[in-house]
Amino acid sequence: MEFRILGTLELWRDGSRVPLTAPKQRALLAILLIRAGRTVPVERLVDELWGTAPPRSVESTLHSLISRLRGKGVGGLVREPGGYRLGLEGTSSDAQVFEQLAALARELAEAGHLERAVRRFQEALGLWRAGALADVPESSLIAAERLRLDGLRLAVFEEYADTLARLGRHALIAGEVRGLLAEHPLRESLWSRMIDALDRSGQPREALAAYDEARRVFAEELGLDPGPELRRARAGILQREEERRKRFDAPVPRQLPPDLAGFTGRGAALRDLTAPAGTRLEAVTVISGMPGVGKSAFAVHWAHRMAERFPDGQLFIELRGHRPEEAITPREALDRFVRALGMPPEQVPGSEDELAAAYRRLLAGRRVLVLLDNAADSAQVQPLLPGTEGCLALVTSRNRLSGLALHNATRTVDLDILSAAEAVALLSAVIGHRSESEPAAVAELARQCGHLPLALRIAAAHLADHPHRRIATYVADLAERGRLGTLHLGDAPSAAVSATFDLSYQALTEAGRIAFRRLGLIPGGGGFTARALAAMLGVSAAEARARLDALRAGSLIQARHSRSPEERYHLHDLLFDYARHRAEAEDDGVVREEAVRRLLEWYRTIDDPLVLQDEYENVLAATRHAAAHDLEAAWRLPAALARLLRLRHSLAGTAELHTLAASAAERAGEHLEAAVAHNNLGATLEYLGRYPEALAEHRRALEIYQRLADPAGTGAALRSIGTVSWLLGRYGAALTELREALDILEDAGDDDAVGQTLNLLGIVLRNLGRMEEAVAHYERALAIHRRTSDTHGEANTLNNLGVVLDARGRHAEALELYREALALRRSTGSRKGEARALNNIGLTEAKLGRYESALGHLLSALAIHRETGDARGEGQVINDLAGLYHLLGWEKDAFAHFAMALRIRSGIGDRKGLAETHKELGEAYADRGDSAAAHHLATAEQLFKELGTAG
């Protein structure tokens, strides 16, 4: 039981809120909670609840209220001589938790653990939903408790604000105090803290305006002037402003370059940067990102927006960090800065150390924004940091400048490319009204520019300079001439995407340049890992990671989410084009070919389903590359990964892989490899529900295996043909083909294949109603799979044994087998197998009356089948969902799903599935007395008859 009084009065039991709709009921509970553990006399209860006008039968009414509270689960409510007492044993209260958290926060703050203290204060204050006991009727006891709790809340908030002030987070204090002042406008200590926070966050004018507002409120509400605490705060601001004016007679520097016309987007990044601006904790902010992403434009735009926060000036310098021969030294930058801050030329020191000391002395007590643009490294930046409260250093760099964090409180803003909408908005703003008539071309141009601000502005400027050229024409030029060769402005050689990339590339070490060029050779240009780069370079994974770290530090690659534990990286597509261009220009063809060959060999060694899921698009692109260049990898790579590919990946893409493999192997005269590819392609087509095509592929494989006198291959192809016969409902043919396959595979001694074939025979026998024979085959298969540690086969067999138990009404036992199979599926990464296990679990839970859980499992199975493109599995789950919806009485959903199941199963030729759906749909129509039932039941009966099974 949980009581919540910090807001409306709430009673919670077992995670659910218990309604307290009657005002007197809430009032009674509140009074008993306030006096918890003590007896409240009946007279006091009557007085608090009804005052001077109690009802005639007051004791009976009170007893009724008490009974209703007990009925709502309020335990510990006992009658004692003269009154009632509420015990709180085994309960909790948000007010108690609030006071405990506040006490802990206080201890942490006193011990100097300020960050932890802030978090505890925030947790405590976060428990407040409104004023205490907000919906409880007024009484003297309630009013006193409200006053006590609200006072406690204000005191804790002020402790929290003081802790934030010790951390230098003045801007945050000002915002939070403003919110609380709306509730408590007459609390002078809150006004005092807000005024001080505004002043210390670089907003003296706003601080004085807040003082004037407080004076007006006190005069209107109380007829009084502000007290001594507020007057002292105002005097301090005025004194500091006067000292600032006296100390600095020189002109205030205003060095920011002009803001970029038509600056577009970056709303979230601007808000993120603005929130803590001017606080002492993070007085250095680094804006990093890939070349051309708009770091300088972003920094200048933000600086103009925030200039008023820094009334003592804004310093700016372009450090030329990516042009080493022209880079500004710290001494040169300091010389410029101290002159701008008013130091007479004859007093400017000569040494860097003296200049740095003078610079910091001149900044002391000032609020100045220092924008250091295009920094090379931490060493160039460190001497230029203000080092005084009230100033902010904003640094832009292609490098991450991690070294600054060793000596400074630093935050980093990583600018990414623009969103698609922002990119289109930028183009439209520069191009003008023409963009409205060609929206598709504008969207494609944004995509071709990779949503990179520099590329977008170059493209937009080109079109603005050619007002009669169609946007679609320029997009076609980009595709024909290449983006890097087209994205430049003729009268400004530096205004080119490739020129910007050149600066970052030239700043790399030779080892870094080689690594960068190798990344441009990855077929398809997808993401990559250290192991992939290690394969291409012929170095260790640790060495490859070191090179990737250097590329990431230079913002040439970005970290990306990975499904596997390995770190994964991404190269922007324009940088990928540039890397490939560099490789073609600088590396010999033999070197490039060898690097790609080693990468393809590494792909063949992948044995982790999660790694293959990350690399899937790369593997597909690599196979296309190998097939186009008549490389052995065209058939070896799909064959090596065939089993993993069947477990969880896009079936359409996997079908393309095996099609490429089969064609390439046949062109090369590699007949055995061609047979393997045909059989793998057939297996993929089975999942896609393309049974006639699958059968053709398996027969082609059988023909090759028989010509080569390969018994294991012949048995495997026959088993595959038997599988398709089963899927098509040709059970007699399936039994013949599978038994022939079993004989061949047993003679060949291929235990794994024997186990798989026994499992399939068990399925066919079960469909024919021969349950005992089916179980015998399953048990033989299970023994083999466990002996050979074939986890995938074991899961299949457990699932099939569960189906038999389910059919016999032993649902609980079946559920255990399905769950065991599900765990094995997940351990092997088999998405398709996972979906089948979830489907069976859902069906069995429905039989056990667990409808909500059943629906969840079926919907999860459907999502996986759709993700992997498994049409047969999708048809099965949709049919099963239809049955569940009918059972629940959701007729509209049920009949819609039956119709979907019929379309899918008819489309893929799943005759057994069609029979099942027609039968269940007919029964559903019969339940509602619809004449359509006869048609569906007759269709089902005919199909089952053709299949040789009982419906």
Side-chain angles (χ1 to χ4, degrees):
M1 182 68 68
E2 179 186 358
F3 301 103
R4 298 182 185 178
I5 64 175
L6 304 182
T8 55
L9 178 60
E10 294 180 2
L11 175 64
W12 288 75
R13 185 177 63 205
D14 298 329
S16 298
R17 184 177 175 180
V18 179
L20 296 170
T21 53
K24 290 297 185 199
Q25 196 174 60
R26 293 196 296 274
L28 174 59
L29 179 58
I31 293 163
L32 292 168
L33 282 170
I34 293 167
R35 290 283 190 252
R38 292 169 286 177
T39 301
V40 185
V42 168
E43 295 78 7
R44 180 67 186 271
L45 288 172
V46 170
D47 184 56
E48 294 289 338
L49 290 170
W50 290 284
T52 58
R56 290 183 181 178
S57 53
V58 65
E59 290 200 13
S60 174
T61 303
L62 179 61
H63 179 72
S64 176
L65 287 173
I66 293 286
S67 297
R68 277 184 238 154
L69 281 181
R70 287 173 177 153
K72 290 184 178 292
V74 179
L77 181 50
V78 296
R79 183 78 161 93
E80 294 198 337
Y84 291 91
R85 178 175 59 83
L86 176 62
L88 296 183
E89 296 79 8
T91 68
S92 65
S93 159
D94 57 356
Q96 291 175 341
V97 175
F98 170 72
E99 294 191 44
Q100 291 165 0
L101 285 169
L104 176 59
R106 198 172 296 120
E107 291 175 10
L108 289 167
E110 289 171 358
H113 303 304
L114 302 184
E115 290 286 0
R116 292 169 60 194
V118 162
R119 288 195 291 273
R120 297 293 87 77
F121 276 129
Q122 288 171 337
E123 288 174 19
L125 293 165
L127 293 171
W128 284 80
R129 295 166 284 115
L133 299 167
D135 62 343
V136 177
E138 189 75 20
S139 78
S140 60
L141 189 62
I142 299 295
E145 182 65 6
R146 279 197 190 113
L147 191 63
R148 184 188 77 83
L149 287 170
D150 287 343
L152 187 59
R153 176 192 184 189
L154 288 169
V156 170
F157 177 85
E158 288 174 352
E159 289 180 276
Y160 164 59
D162 294 343
T163 307
L164 286 175
R166 290 171 66 184
L167 287 166
R169 296 181 183 169
H170 304 296
L172 179 60
I173 298 171
E176 296 209 17
V177 173
R178 172 67 73 181
L180 203 54
L181 272 171
E183 300 176 39
H184 302 278
L186 301 179
R187 191 171 179 91
E188 185 170 336
S189 55
L190 285 178
W191 283 106
S192 175
R193 283 173 171 81
M194 186 173 78
I195 290 167
D196 183 68
L198 287 168
D199 180 46
R200 292 184 181 278
S201 62
Q203 302 175 77
R205 292 178 189 172
E206 289 83 351
L208 291 172
Y211 175 85
D212 290 339
E213 184 183 354
R215 181 172 57 187
R216 178 185 58 77
V217 169
F218 289 142
E220 291 177 357
E221 298 293 330
L222 304 174
L224 299 173
D225 289 329
E229 186 177 0
L230 274 180
R231 292 199 300 273
R232 281 195 300 271
R234 177 176 180 271
I237 296 170
L238 294 173
Q239 182 180 352
R240 284 190 290 276
E241 288 298 295
E242 181 62 26
E243 288 174 356
R244 187 179 294 116
R245 281 192 290 272
K246 287 180 181 178
R247 188 184 304 171
F248 305 112
D249 219 5
V252 173
R254 306 288 187 191
Q255 296 186 338
L256 293 179
D259 197 1
L260 183 65
F263 184 91
T264 301
R266 302 295 191 197
L270 288 168
R271 288 191 297 274
D272 185 46
L273 183 56
T274 300
T279 67
R280 177 165 50 90
L281 182 67
E282 293 168 339
V284 182
T285 296
V286 177
I287 299 172
S288 69
M290 68 174 284
V293 83
K295 299 178 291 295
S296 298
F298 173 80
V300 169
H301 181 72
W302 182 86
H304 276 285
R305 286 178 44 156
M306 300 298 293
E308 287 190 1
R309 289 268 192 106
F310 302 94
D312 297 322
Q314 301 89 43
L315 296 171
F316 173 86
I317 192 164
E318 217 283 34
L319 294 171
R320 305 173 192 162
H322 281 81
R323 293 191 293 273
E325 68 284 353
E326 302 175 25
I328 301 295
T329 65
R331 202 202 72 77
E332 291 175 287
L334 287 166
D335 184 274
R336 296 185 194 182
F337 281 169
V338 297
R339 293 172 190 270
L341 290 167
M343 179 171 280
E346 65 275 9
Q347 295 180 19
V348 175
S351 74
E352 182 178 317
D353 288 345
E354 290 175 315
L355 275 168
Y359 170 62
R360 293 192 174 92
R361 187 169 62 251
L362 287 167
L363 287 177
R366 281 186 164 184
R367 293 189 181 92
V368 176
L369 172 63
V370 182
L371 205 170
L372 307 173
D373 190 32
N374 196 13
D377 52 35
S378 300
Q380 187 186 29
V381 170
Q382 185 63 49
L384 309 181
L385 300 180
T388 181
E389 184 179 355
C391 293
L392 174 68
L394 190 60
V395 189
T396 73
S397 178
R398 298 180 186 188
N399 295 322
R400 295 181 63 79
L401 306 186
S402 304
L404 290 179
L406 292 174
H407 305 290
N408 310 276
T410 305
R411 69 193 299 256
T412 299
V413 176
D414 286 311
L415 279 192
D416 204 345
I417 57 175
L418 298 177
S419 68
E422 289 174 330
V424 167
L426 190 158
L427 287 172
S428 300
V430 180
I431 296 170
H433 65 86
R434 271 192 298 166
S435 61
E436 297 174 8
S437 61
E438 294 186 76
V442 174
E444 177 59 18
L445 179 56
R447 192 189 68 79
Q448 289 282 352
C449 290
H451 301 161
L452 186 69
L454 175 63
L456 291 163
R457 288 198 172 273
I458 289 172
H462 176 91
L463 286 165
D465 197 39
H466 296 79
H468 303 296
R469 181 166 297 166
R470 284 175 52 80
I471 300 170
T473 301
Y474 183 63
V475 172
D477 289 346
L478 284 177
E480 181 179 335
R481 295 170 50 201
R483 295 180 293 182
L484 293 178
T486 308
L487 288 169
H488 66 83
L489 297 176
D491 62 342
S494 61
V497 171
S498 57
T500 300
F501 292 170
D502 284 342
L503 295 174
S504 291
Y505 178 72
Q506 289 160 5
L508 296 171
T509 63
E510 180 59 25
R513 293 179 193 176
I514 292 171
F516 181 71
R517 296 199 300 270
R518 294 297 181 271
L519 296 178
L521 300 175
I522 296 175
F528 48 88
T529 62
R531 287 204 293 160
L533 179 60
M536 299 185 81
L537 293 171
V539 300
S540 69
E543 172 62 23
R545 266 190 294 276
R547 299 199 194 186
L548 289 173
D549 286 345
L551 294 177
R552 183 169 181 263
S555 297
L556 287 170
I557 62 173
Q558 295 171 296
R560 281 289 184 264
H561 169 72
S562 172
R563 297 174 182 85
S564 69
E566 285 196 76
E567 296 171 89
R568 193 162 185 81
Y569 301 91
H570 169 77
L571 197 62
H572 185 273
D573 55 357
L574 284 174
L575 276 171
F576 175 74
D577 288 353
Y578 179 77
R580 186 177 63 244
H581 165 73
R582 279 289 184 177
E584 290 170 351
E586 298 182 38
D587 294 322
D588 182 77
V590 174
V591 172
R592 299 198 304 271
E593 290 171 9
E594 179 60 17
V596 173
R597 186 195 66 76
R598 286 198 297 260
L599 176 65
L600 301 189
E601 283 297 312
W602 177 74
Y603 285 149
R604 286 181 59 196
T605 67
I606 295 173
D607 58 2
D608 183 335
L610 293 177
V611 173
L612 182 55
Q613 194 166 359
D614 282 335
E615 297 288 354
Y616 183 74
E617 292 300 327
N618 287 350
V619 168
L620 188 54
T623 304
R624 290 170 182 153
H625 171 88
H629 294 83
D630 294 322
L631 303 177
E632 288 186 358
W635 59 83
R636 296 197 184 280
L637 184 54
L641 300 177
R643 184 164 182 177
L644 284 183
L645 287 167
R646 283 198 299 271
L647 293 180
R648 61 188 305 124
H649 300 285
S650 163
L651 292 167
T654 302
E656 182 188 349
L657 279 173
H658 294 310
T659 300
L660 289 167
S663 299
E666 289 194 345
R667 283 198 310 272
E670 298 289 346
H671 302 299
L672 182 60
E673 286 74 9
V676 170
H678 282 296
N679 219 30
N680 286 331
L681 175 57
T684 305
L685 293 170
E686 289 169 21
Y687 283 113
L688 286 166
R690 292 156 60 180
Y691 300 143
E693 296 169 75
L695 197 56
E697 293 299 327
H698 292 316
R699 284 175 174 160
R700 174 64 179 146
L702 178 61
E703 176 190 330
I704 297 173
Y705 282 130
Q706 287 176 334
R707 191 169 67 242
L708 296 173
D710 182 329
T714 299
L718 273 169
R719 183 182 68 242
S720 298
I721 291 170
T723 301
V724 179
S725 293
W726 158 61
L727 292 170
L728 289 169
R730 301 169 184 167
Y731 298 142
L735 275 180
T736 300
E737 290 150 356
L738 290 172
R739 283 171 172 163
E740 185 179 353
L742 182 62
D743 290 341
I744 294 171
L745 293 169
E746 284 180 330
D747 289 342
D750 189 341
D751 282 349
D752 282 343
V754 167
Q756 294 165 21
T757 309
L758 285 166
N759 200 15
L760 283 164
L761 276 165
I763 294 172
V764 176
L765 289 164
R766 187 194 75 223
N767 288 154
L768 289 167
R770 294 154 64 175
M771 293 296 186
E772 295 304 328
E773 292 176 77
V775 169
H777 281 75
Y778 289 150
E779 289 175 345
R780 282 186 61 197
L782 186 61
I784 292 171
H785 291 318
R786 285 176 170 168
R787 187 176 71 246
T788 61
S789 300
D790 181 355
T791 306
H792 180 66
E794 181 181 357
N796 273 340
T797 311
L798 288 170
N799 189 75
N800 292 332
L801 281 167
V803 172
V804 174
L805 290 174
D806 220 353
R808 292 174 170 175
R810 294 159 62 180
H811 305 312
E813 295 171 72
L815 199 56
E816 288 304 310
L817 288 179
Y818 293 149
R819 285 173 175 158
E820 191 177 345
L822 178 62
L824 291 172
R825 303 285 201 189
R826 285 175 169 165
S827 73
T828 61
S830 172
R831 294 286 280 161
K832 298 179 188 67
E834 179 183 355
R836 281 178 165 70
L838 288 168
N839 191 355
N840 286 337
I841 289 171
L843 284 174
T844 306
E845 287 188 321
K847 293 170 186 173
L848 292 168
R850 304 169 189 170
Y851 301 126
E852 187 175 345
S853 180
L855 181 59
H857 282 100
L858 290 174
L859 290 173
S860 296
L862 181 60
I864 295 172
H865 284 314
R866 284 177 169 168
E867 172 197 324
T868 59
D870 186 341
R872 178 169 164 265
E874 183 182 359
Q876 180 68 61
V877 180
I878 288 175
N879 182 79
D880 294 339
L881 278 167
L884 179 59
Y885 291 149
H886 176 62
L887 183 64
L888 293 171
W890 303 353
E891 296 303 302
K892 185 177 179 181
D893 290 322
F895 286 100
H897 280 71
F898 277 132
M900 278 192 283
L902 285 176
R903 283 197 301 273
I904 293 171
R905 290 176 149 178
S906 176
I908 65 176
D910 182 0
R911 296 169 71 227
K912 180 177 181 293
L914 267 176
E916 290 174 350
T917 303
H918 276 296
K919 180 186 177 191
E920 292 179 31
L921 180 55
E923 290 170 347
Y925 275 126
D927 287 344
R928 57 193 287 183
D930 195 312
S931 60
H935 162 71
H936 290 288
L937 292 172
T939 303
E941 184 179 0
Q942 181 60 34
L943 284 169
F944 282 125
K945 185 176 179 181
E946 293 171 5
L947 294 169
T949 65

